[in-house]
Coordinates of all heavy atoms in Angstrom, one line a residue:
F42 N 30.8 -6.8 -9.6 CA 30.9 -6.3 -8.2 C 32.3 -5.6 -8.0 O 32.3 -4.5 -7.4 CB 30.9 -7.5 -7.2 CG 30.9 -7.1 -5.8 CD1 29.8 -6.6 -5.1 CD2 32.1 -7.1 -5.1 CE1 29.9 -6.2 -3.8 CE2 32.2 -6.7 -3.8 CZ 31.1 -6.2 -3.1
G62 N 20.4 5.0 -5.1 CA 20.0 4.8 -6.4 C 18.9 3.7 -6.5 O 18.6 3.0 -5.4
L67 N 15.1 5.8 -3.6 CA 14.9 7.2 -3.7 C 13.4 7.6 -3.5 O 13.2 8.7 -2.9 CB 15.4 7.7 -5.1 CG 15.3 9.2 -5.4 CD1 16.2 9.9 -4.4 CD2 15.9 9.5 -6.8
F80 N 4.7 2.1 8.1 CA 4.8 1.1 7.0 C 3.6 1.1 6.0 O 3.8 1.2 4.8 CB 5.1 -0.3 7.5 CG 5.3 -1.3 6.5 CD1 6.6 -1.6 6.0 CD2 4.2 -2.0 5.9 CE1 6.8 -2.5 5.0 CE2 4.5 -3.0 4.9 CZ 5.7 -3.2 4.5
N88 N 2.2 2.5 -4.4 CA 1.2 1.5 -4.6 C 1.6 0.3 -5.5 O 1.0 -0.7 -5.5 CB -0.1 2.1 -5.1 CG 0.0 2.9 -6.4 OD1 1.1 2.9 -7.0 ND2 -1.0 3.5 -6.8
L97 N 12.4 -5.1 2.2 CA 13.9 -5.2 1.9 C 14.5 -3.8 1.7 O 15.6 -3.6 2.2 CB 14.0 -6.0 0.6 CG 13.7 -7.5 0.6 CD1 13.7 -8.1 -0.7 CD2 14.7 -8.2 1.5
R106 N 22.0 3.5 7.3 CA 21.8 4.7 8.2 C 21.2 5.9 7.6 O 21.5 7.0 7.9 CB 23.2 5.0 8.9 CG 23.7 3.9 9.8 CD 24.9 4.2 10.5 NE 25.3 3.1 11.3 CZ 26.5 3.0 11.9 NH1 27.3 4.0 11.8 NH2 26.8 2.0 12.7
Y122 N 9.0 5.0 10.3 CA 10.3 5.2 9.7 C 10.5 6.7 9.5 O 9.6 7.4 9.2 CB 10.3 4.5 8.3 CG 10.2 3.0 8.4 CD1 8.9 2.4 8.4 CD2 11.3 2.2 8.6 CE1 8.8 1.0 8.6 CE2 11.2 0.8 8.8 CZ 9.9 0.3 8.7 OH 9.8 -1.1 8.9
L124 N 13.8 9.7 8.3 CA 15.2 9.9 7.8 C 16.1 10.3 9.0 O 15.6 10.9 9.9 CB 15.2 11.0 6.8 CG 14.5 10.8 5.4 CD1 14.5 12.0 4.6 CD2 15.3 9.7 4.7
E126 N 19.7 12.1 10.3 CA 20.3 13.4 10.0 C 21.0 13.4 8.6 O 20.7 14.3 7.9 CB 21.4 13.8 11.1 CG 22.0 15.1 10.9 CD 23.0 15.5 12.0 OE1 23.0 14.9 13.1 OE2 23.8 16.4 11.8
Y129 N 18.2 13.4 6.0 CA 17.5 14.7 5.8 C 18.4 15.6 4.9 O 17.9 16.5 4.2 CB 17.2 15.4 7.1 CG 15.8 14.9 7.6 CD1 15.8 14.2 8.8 CD2 14.7 15.2 6.9 CE1 14.5 13.8 9.3 CE2 13.4 14.8 7.4 CZ 13.4 14.1 8.6 OH 12.2 13.7 9.1
E139 N 14.0 16.7 -8.6 CA 12.6 16.9 -9.1 C 12.6 18.0 -10.2 O 11.9 17.9 -11.2 CB 11.8 17.4 -7.9 CG 10.3 17.7 -8.2 CD 9.6 18.3 -7.0 OE1 10.2 18.8 -6.0 OE2 8.3 18.2 -7.1
V155 N 7.7 17.3 -31.8 CA 8.4 17.7 -33.0 C 8.5 16.5 -34.0 O 8.2 16.7 -35.2 CB 9.7 18.3 -32.7 CG1 10.6 18.5 -34.0 CG2 9.6 19.6 -32.0

Side-chain angles (χ1 to χ4, degrees):
F42 181 84
L67 185 57
F80 182 91
N88 58 4
L97 290 171
R106 297 183 179 171
Y122 295 91
L124 292 172
E126 185 179 340
Y129 275 113
E139 178 184 22
V155 168

